């Protein structure tokens, strides 16, 4: 059976520490935009932590929500791309082919989650960050769109390693950088097609919700939070 | 109307309308140079953008479409002046259309050329624009025909091809008349372009048939083009873009701004080329009534669109609606209503006030208003996405402003060159029928 990669994020556990954001930057060679461009809204963070405030001052509670590409089963970004730069792969991932992208911005405009990021300039890293690049991940040129890949390079590496060692890929083998780095262990990654995987069981929980579920995009990121 | 150009002797008409082709005045040179400088500045800005990256624009997440797309929709809208109006008038055999059609058809071709540049200018990697064309390529990949942008490419290339033919066909008899021109390069140009037209019965019949056919087809193409442009927005799930009336709403807006552009251009031609006898109050009066009709239709659509959103009270859409009508974009919104509805209604709806001058003023207002309309459709929606945490604002950079200014300069320049090379009013249409000739 084909795999269907998915993730759960437990909002009751998330502390908003942003470790996932940093880990993603390091893993995926995200360019560093600098303070000026970041202030303009040009920073690239494949995963961001949205903040929601409840109550009125001084009785305020902050809720954090890490948001990345939701890898929708019915992704609005996919049909609008005129050059097939974004499409659905066999394992349900919404993948971005940088070389095909001509930069129409259409996918980003049609993403209800606003999780697509554009390379406004050629990517840059302040010294010595240019030395830390992950060799498994392509550096994207200026003028193309990019977004969370669920660390597809780790998925591929895990499958290759398993094949070489002659063993199957089991639940928990693949961990995207954000999941691995979460100190609160709020994130779980795995195969949604495998009913016994941890992520499948969590997705069945009564606390499971999906972001902007009413749009019918069928996201594969599932948020867990207790009801009011 | 007491005077119509038809009453003039044909020799005088020929002389009047061919006169602008020869001689270049000082003002003409001056205007061309100014337009060229502004156009060149736009090219420099574009070069800078290609070299440095899209970051030199004011675009940012989530406002990925800004001035460029506004200009795209605006110019494609203007292009509906020509073909649509001239085709409707031709098919309905409106006698007053004769001095109006060519000027209108030329607007179409130039506005389309300019408008079609913007999808390329707005690309992150503009030098790869041809990847949107369906051709056998090294990537062994067809473009994605499900993407509305590909419908755009198809519709606009069809429309451009069609309107060039539609402009060219009725030019042929005039070119043949000019084939004996004194200057050698003009003689060669006109003779080549006239395709050996001799004016035989067979040729006239063929031309007439071809023009009728083109008028019918171009009408359908024009409607489809702006519908497809509207669908670039309506096919998305973005709040206040995803609207079923966008197709007809955009077509209405396009014809509206197209007529406005035509009136402004005709007023300028009348003044500069001294065509007072050919472009009379009668023509402006008729076009002004058409403009008023479109203004009412536009208002109806705008009201239908906004009232349903407001009444429906969907939170995603209300964020955009509030930004448009009550917050950041409200001054633009109410200016748009004033320019597109109140001004034409007063100036053109009251018969006593309807003159050539007021028609021109109202048209200039409509052009500004319709540009604002496109801005208000594109930017507030993107700046207020469904997840409010991503909301932002947009201010264009000098690069976008320079390129925008350059397109207006390009329009002026192209039009001026055209009016020097070809008679801007179809001369042969005034030729008396052979049977009436004594």
């Amino acid at each position: 059976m084909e795999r269907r990669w998915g993730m759960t994020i437990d909002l009751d556990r998330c502390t908003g520490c942003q470790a996932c954001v940093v880990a993603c930057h390091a893993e995926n060679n995200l360019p560093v935009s600098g303070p000026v461009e970041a202030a303009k809204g040009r920073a690239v963070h494949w995963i961001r932590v949205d903040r929601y405030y409840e109550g009125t001052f001084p009785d305020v509670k902050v809720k954090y929500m890490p948001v990345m590409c939701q890898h929708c089963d019915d992704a609005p970004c996919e049909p609008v791309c005129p050059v097939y730069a974004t499409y659905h792969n066999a394992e349900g991932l919404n993948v971005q082919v940088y070389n095909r992208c001509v930069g129409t911005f259409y996918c980003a405009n049609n993403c209800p989650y606003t999780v697509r990021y554009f390379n406004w300039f050629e990517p840059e890293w302040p010294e010595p960050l240019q030395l830390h690049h992950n060799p498994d991940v392509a550096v994207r040129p200026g003028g193309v769109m990019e977004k969370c890949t669920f660390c597809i390079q780790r998925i591929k590496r895990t499958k290759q390693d398993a094949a070489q060692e002659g063993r199957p890929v089991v639940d928990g083998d693949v961990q995207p950088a954000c999941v691995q780095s979460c100190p609160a262990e709020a994130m779980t990654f795995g195969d949604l097609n495998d009913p016994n995987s941890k992520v499948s069981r969590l997705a069945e929980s009564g606390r499971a919700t999906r972001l902007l579920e009413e749009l019918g995009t069928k996201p594969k990121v599932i948020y867990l939070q207790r009801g009011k | 109307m007491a005077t119509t150009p038809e009453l003039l002797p044909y020799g005088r008409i020929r002389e009047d309308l061919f006169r602008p082709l020869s001689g270049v005045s000082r003002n003409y040179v001056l205007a061309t140079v100014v337009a060229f400088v502004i156009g060149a500045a736009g090219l420099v800005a574009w070069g800078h953008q290609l070299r440095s990256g899209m970051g030199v624009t004011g675009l940012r997440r989530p406002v990925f479409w800004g001035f460029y797309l506004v200009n795209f929709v605006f110019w494609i809208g203007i292009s509906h002046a020509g073909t649509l109006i001239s085709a409707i008038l031709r098919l309905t055999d409106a006698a007053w259309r004769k001095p109006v059609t060519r000027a209108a058809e030329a607007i179409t071709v130039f506005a389309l050329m300019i408008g079609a540049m913007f999808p390329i200018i707005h690309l992150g990697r503009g030098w790869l624009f041809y990847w949107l064309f369906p051709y056998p390529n090294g990537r062994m990949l067809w473009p994605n025909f499900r993407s509305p942008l590909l419908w755009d490419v198809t519709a606009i290339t069809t429309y451009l091809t069609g309107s060039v033919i539609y402009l060219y066909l009725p030019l042929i008899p005039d070119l043949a008349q000019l084939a004996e021109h004194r200057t050698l390069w003009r003689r060669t140009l006109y003779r080549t372009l006239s395709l050996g037209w001799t004016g035989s019965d067979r040729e006239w019949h063929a031309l007439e048939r071809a023009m009728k056919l083109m008028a019918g087809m171009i009408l359908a193409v024009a409607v489809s083009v702006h519908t497809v442009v509207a669908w670039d927005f309506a096919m998305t799930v973005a709040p206040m873009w995803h609207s079923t009336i966008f197709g007809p709403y955009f077509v209405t807006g396009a014809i509206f701004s197209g007529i406005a552009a035509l009136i402004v251009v005709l007023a300028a031609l009348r003044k500069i080329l001294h065509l007072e006898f050919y472009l009379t109050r009668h023509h402006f009066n008729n076009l002004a009534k058409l403009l008023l009709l479109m203004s009412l239709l536009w208002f109806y659509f705008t009201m239908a669109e906004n009232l349903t959103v407001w009444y429906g009270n969907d939170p995603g859409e209300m964020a955009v609606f509030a930004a448009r009508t009550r917050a950041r974009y409200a001054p633009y919104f109410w200016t748009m209503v004033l320019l597109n509805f109140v001004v034409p209604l007063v100036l053109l709806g009251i018969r006593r006030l309807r003159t050539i001058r007021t028609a021109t003023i109202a048209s200039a207002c409509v052009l500004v208003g319709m540009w604002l309309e496109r801005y208000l459709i594109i930017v507030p929606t993107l700046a207020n996405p469904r997840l409010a945490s991503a909301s932002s604002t947009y201010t264009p950079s000098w690069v976008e402003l320079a390129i925008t200014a350059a397109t207006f300069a390009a329009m002026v320049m192209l039009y001026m060159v055209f009016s020097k090379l070809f008679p801007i009013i179809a001369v042969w249409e005034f030729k008396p029928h052979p049977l009436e000739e004594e």
Side-chain angles (χ1 to χ4, degrees), chain A residues 37 39-43 48 50-52 67 76 78-84 98-106 108-110 112-122 141-145 211-212 215, chain B residues 52-65 122-129 131-132 139 141-150 231-233 235-238 241 382 385-387 389-390 392:
Chain A
E37 291 299 310
K40 285 186 193 166
R42 299 259 180 83
R48 64 169 194 262
D50 282 355
R51 279 166 296 186
Y52 292 92
V67 182
E78 286 171 7
V80 298
C81 176
V83 289
Y84 288 116
Y98 309 120
N99 287 341
R100 283 184 198 159
C101 178
V102 297
T104 67
F105 302 98
Y106 207 173
N109 285 343
N110 205 21
Y113 308 100
T114 329
V115 290
R116 291 180 154 267
Y117 296 82
F118 188 73
N119 287 281
W120 301 99
F121 298 103
E122 289 296 323
V144 305
M145 199 61 79
L211 194 52
L212 296 176
L215 295 177
Chain B
S52 311
M54 290 302 281
V56 300
T57 64
L59 299 169
R60 60 198 55 191
R61 192 181 70 93
V63 188
F64 291 103
W65 284 349
H122 102 286
L123 284 186
R125 302 203 285 176
W127 53 95
L128 299 177
F129 73 93
W131 284 9
L132 267 70
R139 294 167 300 132
L141 197 67
W142 283 91
N144 180 6
F145 283 99
R146 292 179 308 163
S147 169
L149 290 188
L150 216 76
W231 285 350
D232 285 346
F233 306 101
M235 292 296 163
T236 68
V237 291
W241 276 7
L382 291 176
R386 281 181 202 272
L387 295 184
S389 66
S392 184

Side-chain angles (χ1 to χ4, degrees), chain B residues 130-211:
Chain B
Y130 62 92
W131 284 9
L132 267 70
F133 292 120
Y135 71 105
N137 56 45
R139 294 167 300 132
M140 303 292 285
L141 197 67
W142 283 91
N144 180 6
F145 283 99
R146 292 179 308 163
S147 169
L149 290 188
L150 216 76
W151 312 345
D152 255 351
V153 172
T154 315
I156 289 170
T157 43
T158 310
Y159 191 34
L160 185 57
T161 315
S163 35
V164 169
I165 296 172
Y166 190 64
L167 170 70
Y168 181 57
L169 283 178
L171 250 177
I172 296 174
D174 277 355
L175 293 169
Q177 293 198 56
L178 286 163
E180 303 302 321
H181 203 277
R182 299 192 296 283
T183 17
L184 177 66
W185 70 269
R186 279 188 187 263
R187 201 156 56 225
T188 323
L189 175 76
Y190 297 136
R191 195 163 285 171
T192 316
L193 286 179
S194 67
L195 304 175
W197 173 271
T198 57
S200 70
D201 271 2
R202 232 184 96 244
E203 284 170 353
W204 278 112
H205 278 301
L207 183 71
E208 214 123 283
R209 268 229 311 277
M211 267 158 36

